[in-house]
Short mmCIF file of all heavy atoms in Angstrom, two decimals:
data_model
loop_
_atom_site.label_atom_id
_atom_site.label_comp_id
_atom_site.label_asym_id
_atom_site.label_seq_id
_atom_site.Cartn_x
_atom_site.Cartn_y
_atom_site.Cartn_z
N GLY A 1181 -89.25 63.35 74.63
CA GLY A 1181 -90.31 64.24 75.02
C GLY A 1181 -91.03 63.75 76.24
O GLY A 1181 -90.74 62.69 76.77
N ASP A 1182 -91.98 64.53 76.67
CA ASP A 1182 -92.79 64.16 77.83
C ASP A 1182 -93.72 63.00 77.47
O ASP A 1182 -94.21 62.90 76.35
CB ASP A 1182 -93.65 65.35 78.29
CG ASP A 1182 -92.80 66.43 78.93
OD1 ASP A 1182 -91.67 66.13 79.32
OD2 ASP A 1182 -93.29 67.57 79.03
N ARG A 1183 -93.97 62.15 78.45
CA ARG A 1183 -94.90 61.04 78.26
C ARG A 1183 -95.86 61.02 79.42
O ARG A 1183 -95.48 61.26 80.57
CB ARG A 1183 -94.15 59.72 78.20
CG ARG A 1183 -93.26 59.64 76.99
CD ARG A 1183 -92.73 58.28 76.83
NE ARG A 1183 -91.91 58.26 75.63
CZ ARG A 1183 -91.35 57.21 75.15
NH1 ARG A 1183 -91.49 56.07 75.74
NH2 ARG A 1183 -90.62 57.27 74.06
N ASP A 1184 -97.11 60.71 79.13
CA ASP A 1184 -98.11 60.58 80.17
C ASP A 1184 -98.10 59.17 80.72
O ASP A 1184 -97.76 58.21 80.02
CB ASP A 1184 -99.50 60.87 79.61
CG ASP A 1184 -99.67 62.33 79.23
OD1 ASP A 1184 -99.03 63.18 79.85
OD2 ASP A 1184 -100.45 62.60 78.30
N LEU A 1185 -98.48 59.04 81.97
CA LEU A 1185 -98.59 57.75 82.62
C LEU A 1185 -99.99 57.65 83.21
O LEU A 1185 -100.45 58.58 83.88
CB LEU A 1185 -97.55 57.62 83.74
CG LEU A 1185 -97.66 56.39 84.62
CD1 LEU A 1185 -97.31 55.14 83.83
CD2 LEU A 1185 -96.75 56.52 85.83
N LEU A 1186 -100.65 56.54 82.95
CA LEU A 1186 -101.98 56.29 83.50
C LEU A 1186 -101.89 55.08 84.40
O LEU A 1186 -101.40 54.03 83.97
CB LEU A 1186 -102.98 56.02 82.36
CG LEU A 1186 -104.37 55.55 82.78
CD1 LEU A 1186 -105.08 56.63 83.58
CD2 LEU A 1186 -105.17 55.17 81.56
N LEU A 1187 -102.30 55.22 85.63
CA LEU A 1187 -102.30 54.11 86.59
C LEU A 1187 -103.75 53.81 86.93
O LEU A 1187 -104.48 54.70 87.35
CB LEU A 1187 -101.52 54.50 87.84
CG LEU A 1187 -101.50 53.48 88.97
CD1 LEU A 1187 -100.79 52.21 88.54
CD2 LEU A 1187 -100.83 54.08 90.20
N ALA A 1188 -104.15 52.56 86.72
CA ALA A 1188 -105.52 52.16 87.03
C ALA A 1188 -105.47 51.01 88.03
O ALA A 1188 -104.67 50.08 87.89
CB ALA A 1188 -106.25 51.71 85.77
N VAL A 1189 -106.32 51.07 89.02
CA VAL A 1189 -106.43 50.01 90.02
C VAL A 1189 -107.75 49.31 89.79
O VAL A 1189 -108.81 49.95 89.81
CB VAL A 1189 -106.36 50.58 91.45
CG1 VAL A 1189 -106.52 49.47 92.48
CG2 VAL A 1189 -105.05 51.33 91.66
N SER A 1190 -107.70 48.00 89.56
CA SER A 1190 -108.91 47.27 89.19
C SER A 1190 -109.64 46.67 90.37
O SER A 1190 -110.84 46.50 90.34
CB SER A 1190 -108.58 46.15 88.20
OG SER A 1190 -107.85 45.13 88.84
N GLY A 1191 -108.93 46.30 91.40
CA GLY A 1191 -109.54 45.52 92.47
C GLY A 1191 -109.32 44.04 92.19
O GLY A 1191 -108.68 43.66 91.21
N MET A 1192 -109.88 43.20 93.03
CA MET A 1192 -109.63 41.76 92.93
C MET A 1192 -110.54 41.08 91.91
O MET A 1192 -111.68 41.49 91.72
CB MET A 1192 -109.86 41.10 94.29
CG MET A 1192 -108.88 41.52 95.35
SD MET A 1192 -109.01 40.58 96.90
CE MET A 1192 -110.76 40.38 97.13
N GLY A 1193 -110.00 40.05 91.30
CA GLY A 1193 -110.80 39.17 90.46
C GLY A 1193 -110.74 39.47 88.98
O GLY A 1193 -110.37 40.56 88.54
N MET A 1194 -111.11 38.43 88.20
CA MET A 1194 -111.06 38.52 86.75
C MET A 1194 -112.04 39.55 86.18
O MET A 1194 -111.71 40.25 85.24
CB MET A 1194 -111.39 37.16 86.14
CG MET A 1194 -110.19 36.36 85.75
SD MET A 1194 -110.73 34.71 85.28
CE MET A 1194 -110.46 34.77 83.56
N VAL A 1195 -113.22 39.62 86.74
CA VAL A 1195 -114.22 40.56 86.21
C VAL A 1195 -113.74 41.99 86.40
O VAL A 1195 -113.80 42.81 85.47
CB VAL A 1195 -115.59 40.33 86.89
CG1 VAL A 1195 -116.57 41.41 86.50
CG2 VAL A 1195 -116.13 38.96 86.53
N ALA A 1196 -113.24 42.30 87.58
CA ALA A 1196 -112.73 43.66 87.84
C ALA A 1196 -111.54 43.97 86.95
O ALA A 1196 -111.42 45.07 86.42
CB ALA A 1196 -112.35 43.80 89.32
N ALA A 1197 -110.65 42.99 86.77
CA ALA A 1197 -109.48 43.19 85.92
C ALA A 1197 -109.90 43.43 84.47
O ALA A 1197 -109.35 44.30 83.79
CB ALA A 1197 -108.53 42.01 86.02
N ALA A 1198 -110.86 42.66 83.99
CA ALA A 1198 -111.33 42.82 82.61
C ALA A 1198 -111.99 44.19 82.41
O ALA A 1198 -111.76 44.85 81.39
CB ALA A 1198 -112.32 41.71 82.26
N ARG A 1199 -112.78 44.62 83.38
CA ARG A 1199 -113.44 45.93 83.28
C ARG A 1199 -112.40 47.05 83.24
O ARG A 1199 -112.48 47.96 82.41
CB ARG A 1199 -114.40 46.11 84.46
CG ARG A 1199 -115.21 47.37 84.41
CD ARG A 1199 -116.27 47.49 85.51
NE ARG A 1199 -115.92 46.90 86.79
CZ ARG A 1199 -116.52 45.83 87.33
NH1 ARG A 1199 -117.49 45.23 86.69
NH2 ARG A 1199 -116.15 45.38 88.51
N ALA A 1200 -111.40 46.98 84.11
CA ALA A 1200 -110.36 48.01 84.14
C ALA A 1200 -109.53 47.98 82.86
O ALA A 1200 -109.19 49.03 82.31
CB ALA A 1200 -109.46 47.81 85.36
N THR A 1201 -109.23 46.79 82.37
CA THR A 1201 -108.45 46.66 81.13
C THR A 1201 -109.20 47.25 79.95
O THR A 1201 -108.62 47.97 79.13
CB THR A 1201 -108.09 45.19 80.86
OG1 THR A 1201 -107.34 44.69 81.98
CG2 THR A 1201 -107.27 45.04 79.60
N ASP A 1202 -110.48 46.96 79.85
CA ASP A 1202 -111.30 47.53 78.77
C ASP A 1202 -111.26 49.06 78.81
O ASP A 1202 -111.12 49.72 77.79
CB ASP A 1202 -112.75 47.05 78.86
CG ASP A 1202 -112.92 45.60 78.44
OD1 ASP A 1202 -112.00 45.05 77.80
OD2 ASP A 1202 -113.97 45.02 78.77
N TRP A 1203 -111.38 49.61 80.02
CA TRP A 1203 -111.36 51.07 80.16
C TRP A 1203 -110.00 51.62 79.75
O TRP A 1203 -109.91 52.60 79.00
CB TRP A 1203 -111.70 51.48 81.59
CG TRP A 1203 -111.71 52.96 81.74
CD1 TRP A 1203 -112.74 53.81 81.44
CD2 TRP A 1203 -110.63 53.79 82.18
NE1 TRP A 1203 -112.36 55.11 81.69
CE2 TRP A 1203 -111.07 55.12 82.13
CE3 TRP A 1203 -109.33 53.53 82.61
CZ2 TRP A 1203 -110.26 56.19 82.51
CZ3 TRP A 1203 -108.53 54.59 82.98
CH2 TRP A 1203 -109.00 55.90 82.93
N VAL A 1204 -108.92 51.00 80.24
CA VAL A 1204 -107.58 51.48 79.93
C VAL A 1204 -107.33 51.41 78.43
O VAL A 1204 -106.82 52.36 77.82
CB VAL A 1204 -106.51 50.67 80.69
CG1 VAL A 1204 -105.12 50.93 80.15
CG2 VAL A 1204 -106.57 50.99 82.19
N LEU A 1205 -107.70 50.31 77.79
CA LEU A 1205 -107.50 50.18 76.34
C LEU A 1205 -108.29 51.23 75.57
O LEU A 1205 -107.85 51.68 74.51
CB LEU A 1205 -107.87 48.77 75.87
CG LEU A 1205 -106.94 47.66 76.37
CD1 LEU A 1205 -107.46 46.29 75.94
CD2 LEU A 1205 -105.51 47.88 75.90
N GLY A 1206 -109.41 51.64 76.11
CA GLY A 1206 -110.20 52.71 75.49
C GLY A 1206 -109.51 54.07 75.51
O GLY A 1206 -109.88 54.97 74.77
N GLN A 1207 -108.49 54.20 76.35
CA GLN A 1207 -107.74 55.46 76.44
C GLN A 1207 -106.66 55.54 75.36
O GLN A 1207 -106.01 56.57 75.20
CB GLN A 1207 -107.09 55.62 77.82
CG GLN A 1207 -108.06 55.49 78.99
CD GLN A 1207 -109.24 56.42 78.87
OE1 GLN A 1207 -109.08 57.63 78.74
NE2 GLN A 1207 -110.44 55.87 78.91
N GLY A 1208 -106.44 54.43 74.61
CA GLY A 1208 -105.47 54.42 73.52
C GLY A 1208 -104.01 54.39 73.95
O GLY A 1208 -103.18 55.08 73.36
N PRO A 1209 -103.65 53.55 74.92
CA PRO A 1209 -102.26 53.53 75.37
C PRO A 1209 -101.33 52.91 74.33
O PRO A 1209 -101.73 52.07 73.53
CB PRO A 1209 -102.31 52.65 76.62
CG PRO A 1209 -103.43 51.69 76.33
CD PRO A 1209 -104.45 52.52 75.59
N ALA A 1210 -100.07 53.31 74.37
CA ALA A 1210 -99.06 52.69 73.52
C ALA A 1210 -98.57 51.39 74.15
O ALA A 1210 -98.09 50.50 73.45
CB ALA A 1210 -97.88 53.65 73.33
N LEU A 1211 -98.70 51.26 75.46
CA LEU A 1211 -98.20 50.10 76.18
C LEU A 1211 -99.07 49.89 77.41
O LEU A 1211 -99.48 50.86 78.06
CB LEU A 1211 -96.75 50.34 76.61
CG LEU A 1211 -96.08 49.29 77.48
CD1 LEU A 1211 -95.81 48.02 76.68
CD2 LEU A 1211 -94.78 49.83 78.04
N VAL A 1212 -99.35 48.63 77.74
CA VAL A 1212 -100.08 48.29 78.96
C VAL A 1212 -99.23 47.30 79.75
O VAL A 1212 -98.75 46.31 79.21
CB VAL A 1212 -101.45 47.64 78.65
CG1 VAL A 1212 -102.13 47.18 79.93
CG2 VAL A 1212 -102.34 48.61 77.89
N LEU A 1213 -99.03 47.59 81.01
CA LEU A 1213 -98.32 46.70 81.91
C LEU A 1213 -99.30 46.32 83.02
O LEU A 1213 -99.81 47.19 83.71
CB LEU A 1213 -97.10 47.41 82.51
CG LEU A 1213 -96.31 46.64 83.55
CD1 LEU A 1213 -95.72 45.37 82.96
CD2 LEU A 1213 -95.22 47.51 84.14
N SER A 1214 -99.55 45.03 83.15
CA SER A 1214 -100.46 44.54 84.18
C SER A 1214 -99.65 43.95 85.31
O SER A 1214 -98.79 43.09 85.10
CB SER A 1214 -101.39 43.48 83.58
OG SER A 1214 -102.23 42.95 84.57
N VAL A 1215 -99.93 44.39 86.53
CA VAL A 1215 -99.19 43.93 87.70
C VAL A 1215 -100.19 43.38 88.70
O VAL A 1215 -101.18 44.02 89.01
CB VAL A 1215 -98.40 45.09 88.33
CG1 VAL A 1215 -97.67 44.62 89.56
CG2 VAL A 1215 -97.43 45.69 87.32
N GLY A 1216 -99.92 42.19 89.19
CA GLY A 1216 -100.78 41.58 90.19
C GLY A 1216 -100.00 41.32 91.46
O GLY A 1216 -98.77 41.40 91.48
N PHE A 1217 -100.71 40.99 92.49
CA PHE A 1217 -100.05 40.80 93.77
C PHE A 1217 -100.28 39.42 94.37
O PHE A 1217 -100.07 39.20 95.53
CB PHE A 1217 -100.48 41.90 94.76
CG PHE A 1217 -99.99 43.24 94.31
CD1 PHE A 1217 -100.82 44.09 93.60
CD2 PHE A 1217 -98.69 43.61 94.55
CE1 PHE A 1217 -100.35 45.31 93.16
CE2 PHE A 1217 -98.20 44.84 94.11
CZ PHE A 1217 -99.04 45.69 93.41
N ALA A 1218 -100.72 38.45 93.55
CA ALA A 1218 -100.80 37.04 93.94
C ALA A 1218 -101.52 36.81 95.26
O ALA A 1218 -101.10 35.99 96.07
CB ALA A 1218 -99.40 36.43 93.97
N GLY A 1219 -102.60 37.51 95.46
CA GLY A 1219 -103.35 37.36 96.71
C GLY A 1219 -103.94 35.99 96.92
O GLY A 1219 -104.21 35.59 98.05
N SER A 1220 -104.11 35.22 95.85
CA SER A 1220 -104.72 33.90 95.99
C SER A 1220 -103.69 32.80 96.20
O SER A 1220 -104.06 31.64 96.33
CB SER A 1220 -105.56 33.58 94.77
OG SER A 1220 -104.74 33.47 93.62
N CYS A 1221 -102.42 33.13 96.22
CA CYS A 1221 -101.37 32.12 96.43
C CYS A 1221 -101.24 31.83 97.92
O CYS A 1221 -100.87 32.69 98.69
CB CYS A 1221 -100.03 32.59 95.87
SG CYS A 1221 -100.03 32.75 94.08
N GLY A 1222 -101.55 30.62 98.30
CA GLY A 1222 -101.44 30.25 99.70
C GLY A 1222 -100.00 30.19 100.16
O GLY A 1222 -99.09 29.96 99.36
N GLY A 1223 -99.76 30.40 101.42
CA GLY A 1223 -98.43 30.29 101.98
C GLY A 1223 -97.58 31.53 101.87
O GLY A 1223 -96.47 31.56 102.38
N LEU A 1224 -98.06 32.58 101.20
CA LEU A 1224 -97.28 33.81 101.09
C LEU A 1224 -97.67 34.76 102.20
O LEU A 1224 -98.78 34.73 102.70
CB LEU A 1224 -97.52 34.48 99.74
CG LEU A 1224 -97.05 33.71 98.50
CD1 LEU A 1224 -97.38 34.48 97.24
CD2 LEU A 1224 -95.57 33.41 98.57
N HIS A 1225 -96.72 35.61 102.56
CA HIS A 1225 -96.95 36.60 103.60
C HIS A 1225 -96.65 37.99 103.05
O HIS A 1225 -95.97 38.13 102.04
CB HIS A 1225 -96.04 36.32 104.81
CG HIS A 1225 -96.31 35.00 105.44
ND1 HIS A 1225 -95.77 33.83 104.96
CD2 HIS A 1225 -97.08 34.66 106.49
CE1 HIS A 1225 -96.17 32.82 105.70
NE2 HIS A 1225 -96.97 33.29 106.64
N VAL A 1226 -97.15 39.01 103.73
CA VAL A 1226 -96.87 40.39 103.33
C VAL A 1226 -95.36 40.57 103.22
O VAL A 1226 -94.62 40.18 104.11
CB VAL A 1226 -97.45 41.39 104.35
CG1 VAL A 1226 -97.00 42.80 104.04
CG2 VAL A 1226 -98.97 41.30 104.36
N GLY A 1227 -94.93 41.11 102.08
CA GLY A 1227 -93.51 41.35 101.85
C GLY A 1227 -92.81 40.25 101.08
O GLY A 1227 -91.70 40.42 100.62
N ASP A 1228 -93.45 39.07 100.94
CA ASP A 1228 -92.85 38.00 100.14
C ASP A 1228 -92.85 38.39 98.68
O ASP A 1228 -93.75 39.08 98.21
CB ASP A 1228 -93.64 36.69 100.29
CG ASP A 1228 -93.44 36.02 101.63
OD1 ASP A 1228 -92.56 36.47 102.40
OD2 ASP A 1228 -94.16 35.04 101.90
N LEU A 1229 -91.84 37.96 97.97
CA LEU A 1229 -91.73 38.22 96.54
C LEU A 1229 -91.88 36.92 95.79
O LEU A 1229 -91.16 35.95 96.05
CB LEU A 1229 -90.37 38.86 96.21
CG LEU A 1229 -90.09 39.13 94.75
CD1 LEU A 1229 -91.09 40.14 94.18
CD2 LEU A 1229 -88.67 39.63 94.57
N LEU A 1230 -92.82 36.88 94.88
CA LEU A 1230 -93.07 35.70 94.06
C LEU A 1230 -92.35 35.88 92.74
O LEU A 1230 -92.56 36.86 92.03
CB LEU A 1230 -94.58 35.55 93.83
CG LEU A 1230 -95.02 34.39 92.95
CD1 LEU A 1230 -94.69 33.07 93.63
CD2 LEU A 1230 -96.50 34.49 92.68
N SER A 1231 -91.47 34.95 92.39
CA SER A 1231 -90.72 35.01 91.15
C SER A 1231 -90.95 33.71 90.39
O SER A 1231 -90.29 32.70 90.66
CB SER A 1231 -89.23 35.22 91.46
OG SER A 1231 -88.50 35.29 90.25
N PRO A 1232 -91.89 33.70 89.44
CA PRO A 1232 -92.24 32.45 88.76
C PRO A 1232 -91.17 31.98 87.80
O PRO A 1232 -90.40 32.77 87.26
CB PRO A 1232 -93.52 32.81 88.00
CG PRO A 1232 -93.37 34.27 87.72
CD PRO A 1232 -92.65 34.83 88.92
N ALA A 1233 -91.12 30.67 87.58
CA ALA A 1233 -90.21 30.09 86.58
C ALA A 1233 -90.75 30.34 85.18
O ALA A 1233 -89.99 30.43 84.22
CB ALA A 1233 -90.06 28.60 86.82
N GLU A 1234 -92.10 30.48 85.07
CA GLU A 1234 -92.72 30.77 83.79
C GLU A 1234 -94.06 31.44 84.01
O GLU A 1234 -94.63 31.36 85.08
CB GLU A 1234 -92.91 29.49 82.96
CG GLU A 1234 -93.91 28.52 83.57
CD GLU A 1234 -94.05 27.22 82.79
OE1 GLU A 1234 -93.11 26.83 82.10
OE2 GLU A 1234 -95.11 26.60 82.89
N VAL A 1235 -94.54 32.12 82.99
CA VAL A 1235 -95.90 32.68 82.96
C VAL A 1235 -96.56 32.16 81.70
O VAL A 1235 -95.90 31.65 80.80
CB VAL A 1235 -95.91 34.23 83.00
CG1 VAL A 1235 -95.34 34.74 84.31
CG2 VAL A 1235 -95.15 34.81 81.83
N ARG A 1236 -97.87 32.28 81.62
CA ARG A 1236 -98.59 31.79 80.44
C ARG A 1236 -99.39 32.92 79.81
O ARG A 1236 -99.97 33.74 80.51
CB ARG A 1236 -99.50 30.63 80.82
CG ARG A 1236 -98.69 29.46 81.35
CD ARG A 1236 -99.47 28.19 81.41
NE ARG A 1236 -98.59 27.12 81.83
CZ ARG A 1236 -98.06 26.24 81.00
NH1 ARG A 1236 -98.32 26.30 79.71
NH2 ARG A 1236 -97.27 25.28 81.44
N ASP A 1237 -99.40 32.93 78.47
CA ASP A 1237 -100.18 33.94 77.78
C ASP A 1237 -101.62 33.47 77.63
O ASP A 1237 -102.00 32.41 78.16
CB ASP A 1237 -99.54 34.31 76.43
CG ASP A 1237 -99.58 33.19 75.42
OD1 ASP A 1237 -100.28 32.18 75.63
OD2 ASP A 1237 -98.91 33.32 74.38
N GLU A 1238 -102.43 34.26 76.93
CA GLU A 1238 -103.86 33.96 76.83
C GLU A 1238 -104.14 32.65 76.09
O GLU A 1238 -105.22 32.10 76.21
CB GLU A 1238 -104.61 35.12 76.16
CG GLU A 1238 -104.26 35.35 74.70
CD GLU A 1238 -102.98 36.12 74.46
OE1 GLU A 1238 -102.31 36.56 75.41
OE2 GLU A 1238 -102.62 36.29 73.29
N THR A 1239 -103.18 32.13 75.35
CA THR A 1239 -103.36 30.85 74.65
C THR A 1239 -102.88 29.67 75.47
O THR A 1239 -103.05 28.52 75.07
CB THR A 1239 -102.60 30.85 73.30
OG1 THR A 1239 -101.20 30.85 73.55
CG2 THR A 1239 -102.99 32.02 72.43
N GLY A 1240 -102.25 29.94 76.62
CA GLY A 1240 -101.71 28.88 77.46
C GLY A 1240 -100.25 28.57 77.18
O GLY A 1240 -99.66 27.70 77.81
N ARG A 1241 -99.65 29.27 76.22
CA ARG A 1241 -98.24 29.05 75.89
C ARG A 1241 -97.37 29.52 77.05
O ARG A 1241 -97.53 30.61 77.57
CB ARG A 1241 -97.88 29.84 74.62
CG ARG A 1241 -96.43 29.68 74.19
CD ARG A 1241 -96.17 30.45 72.90
NE ARG A 1241 -96.47 31.86 73.04
CZ ARG A 1241 -95.56 32.83 73.13
NH1 ARG A 1241 -94.29 32.53 73.04
NH2 ARG A 1241 -95.92 34.09 73.25
N ALA A 1242 -96.44 28.65 77.47
CA ALA A 1242 -95.53 28.97 78.57
C ALA A 1242 -94.41 29.88 78.09
O ALA A 1242 -93.82 29.65 77.04
CB ALA A 1242 -94.94 27.69 79.15
N ILE A 1243 -94.15 30.92 78.86
CA ILE A 1243 -93.07 31.86 78.56
C ILE A 1243 -92.11 31.83 79.74
O ILE A 1243 -92.48 32.20 80.86
CB ILE A 1243 -93.62 33.29 78.36
CG1 ILE A 1243 -94.64 33.29 77.22
CG2 ILE A 1243 -92.48 34.27 78.11
CD1 ILE A 1243 -95.47 34.54 77.14
N PRO A 1244 -90.88 31.33 79.53
CA PRO A 1244 -89.92 31.26 80.64
C PRO A 1244 -89.59 32.65 81.19
O PRO A 1244 -89.54 33.62 80.46
CB PRO A 1244 -88.68 30.63 80.00
CG PRO A 1244 -89.13 30.05 78.72
CD PRO A 1244 -90.33 30.84 78.27
N CYS A 1245 -89.38 32.71 82.49
CA CYS A 1245 -89.01 33.96 83.16
C CYS A 1245 -87.59 33.82 83.68
O CYS A 1245 -87.16 32.75 84.09
CB CYS A 1245 -89.92 34.24 84.35
SG CYS A 1245 -91.63 34.48 83.91
N THR A 1246 -86.88 34.91 83.67
CA THR A 1246 -85.57 34.94 84.31
C THR A 1246 -85.64 35.97 85.41
O THR A 1246 -86.42 36.92 85.35
CB THR A 1246 -84.46 35.32 83.30
OG1 THR A 1246 -84.77 36.60 82.74
CG2 THR A 1246 -84.36 34.30 82.19
N SER A 1247 -84.85 35.78 86.41
CA SER A 1247 -84.84 36.75 87.51
C SER A 1247 -83.42 36.88 88.03
O SER A 1247 -82.57 36.02 87.80
CB SER A 1247 -85.77 36.30 88.64
OG SER A 1247 -85.35 35.04 89.14
N ALA A 1248 -83.20 37.97 88.70
CA ALA A 1248 -81.88 38.21 89.27
C ALA A 1248 -81.62 37.19 90.38
O ALA A 1248 -82.54 36.84 91.12
CB ALA A 1248 -81.80 39.63 89.83
N PRO A 1249 -80.40 36.69 90.48
CA PRO A 1249 -80.12 35.75 91.57
C PRO A 1249 -80.25 36.43 92.91
O PRO A 1249 -79.98 37.61 93.05
CB PRO A 1249 -78.68 35.32 91.29
CG PRO A 1249 -78.09 36.40 90.46
CD PRO A 1249 -79.23 37.02 89.69
N GLY A 1250 -80.68 35.69 93.86
CA GLY A 1250 -80.82 36.24 95.20
C GLY A 1250 -81.28 35.17 96.15
O GLY A 1250 -81.51 34.03 95.75
N PRO A 1251 -81.45 35.52 97.40
CA PRO A 1251 -81.86 34.52 98.39
C PRO A 1251 -83.30 34.08 98.14
O PRO A 1251 -84.12 34.84 97.64
CB PRO A 1251 -81.74 35.26 99.73
CG PRO A 1251 -81.88 36.71 99.36
CD PRO A 1251 -81.29 36.83 97.98
N THR A 1252 -83.57 32.84 98.42
CA THR A 1252 -84.93 32.34 98.34
C THR A 1252 -85.34 31.85 99.71
O THR A 1252 -84.50 31.40 100.50
CB THR A 1252 -85.07 31.19 97.32
OG1 THR A 1252 -84.18 30.14 97.71
CG2 THR A 1252 -84.75 31.67 95.91
N ILE A 1253 -86.62 31.94 99.99
CA ILE A 1253 -87.14 31.48 101.28
C ILE A 1253 -88.20 30.44 101.00
O ILE A 1253 -89.17 30.71 100.28
CB ILE A 1253 -87.76 32.65 102.08
CG1 ILE A 1253 -86.70 33.71 102.37
CG2 ILE A 1253 -88.40 32.14 103.36
CD1 ILE A 1253 -87.26 34.98 102.97
N ASP A 1254 -88.02 29.27 101.52
CA ASP A 1254 -89.00 28.22 101.39
C ASP A 1254 -90.07 28.47 102.45
O ASP A 1254 -89.76 28.48 103.65
CB ASP A 1254 -88.35 26.85 101.59
CG ASP A 1254 -89.30 25.71 101.43
OD1 ASP A 1254 -90.54 25.93 101.43
OD2 ASP A 1254 -88.83 24.57 101.31
N PRO A 1255 -91.33 28.69 102.03
CA PRO A 1255 -92.38 28.97 103.03
C PRO A 1255 -92.50 27.87 104.08
O PRO A 1255 -92.91 28.11 105.19
CB PRO A 1255 -93.66 29.07 102.19
CG PRO A 1255 -93.20 29.37 100.82
CD PRO A 1255 -91.85 28.74 100.69
N GLN A 1256 -92.12 26.62 103.71
CA GLN A 1256 -92.20 25.52 104.66
C GLN A 1256 -91.15 25.65 105.79
O GLN A 1256 -91.30 25.05 106.85
CB GLN A 1256 -91.99 24.18 103.94
CG GLN A 1256 -92.97 23.94 102.82
CD GLN A 1256 -94.42 23.93 103.29
OE1 GLN A 1256 -94.72 23.44 104.36
NE2 GLN A 1256 -95.30 24.49 102.48
N GLU A 1257 -90.09 26.43 105.54
CA GLU A 1257 -89.03 26.58 106.52
C GLU A 1257 -89.20 27.82 107.39
O GLU A 1257 -88.36 28.12 108.21
CB GLU A 1257 -87.67 26.64 105.81
CG GLU A 1257 -87.32 25.37 105.09
CD GLU A 1257 -86.00 25.47 104.34
OE1 GLU A 1257 -85.30 26.49 104.48
OE2 GLU A 1257 -85.69 24.53 103.60
N ARG A 1258 -90.29 28.56 107.20
CA ARG A 1258 -90.54 29.77 107.97
C ARG A 1258 -90.71 29.44 109.44
O ARG A 1258 -91.32 28.47 109.80
CB ARG A 1258 -91.84 30.40 107.48
CG ARG A 1258 -91.68 31.80 107.08
CD ARG A 1258 -93.04 32.27 106.60
NE ARG A 1258 -92.90 32.79 105.29
CZ ARG A 1258 -92.39 33.97 105.03
NH1 ARG A 1258 -92.00 34.74 106.00
NH2 ARG A 1258 -92.29 34.39 103.82
N SER A 1259 -90.17 30.31 110.28
CA SER A 1259 -90.33 30.06 111.72
C SER A 1259 -91.53 30.78 112.25
O SER A 1259 -92.06 31.68 111.69
CB SER A 1259 -89.09 30.50 112.47
OG SER A 1259 -88.79 31.86 112.19
#
């Protein structure tokens, strides 16, 4: 069947993210996907893709990530 999609933009920072998350959860979603753009990571440029080896949940537990193989660019080797 048809499914609705809700897209919310929070802005930068933890407070803005928490406020947006509270609002979204109040809408009663079946699933929430949070996407960030790593603006605080030094050495990245527009268009760079960050693919972490792991992420951490709210308890600090490490969750390994897998990603499709592909070229990597070392920011130190940028011209």
Side-chain angles (χ1 to χ4, degrees):
D1182 289 341
R1183 295 190 178 183
D1184 292 330
L1185 173 68
L1186 171 64
L1187 176 64
V1189 178
S1190 69
M1192 295 187 320
M1194 262 172 109
V1195 172
R1199 184 174 34 247
T1201 302
D1202 287 344
W1203 181 83
V1204 167
L1205 292 175
Q1207 306 306 305
L1211 175 70
V1212 174
L1213 175 63
S1214 177
V1215 179
F1217 294 97
S1220 65
C1221 293
L1224 295 179
H1225 298 83
V1226 172
D1228 286 352
L1229 177 63
L1230 178 66
S1231 180
E1234 67 183 26
V1235 295
R1236 298 194 176 259
D1237 67 12
E1238 67 279 358
T1239 68
R1241 180 178 59 106
I1243 302 166
C1245 297
T1246 58
S1247 60
T1252 58
I1253 299 171
D1254 182 345
Q1256 303 300 322
E1257 296 177 7
R1258 235 179 235 283
S1259 55

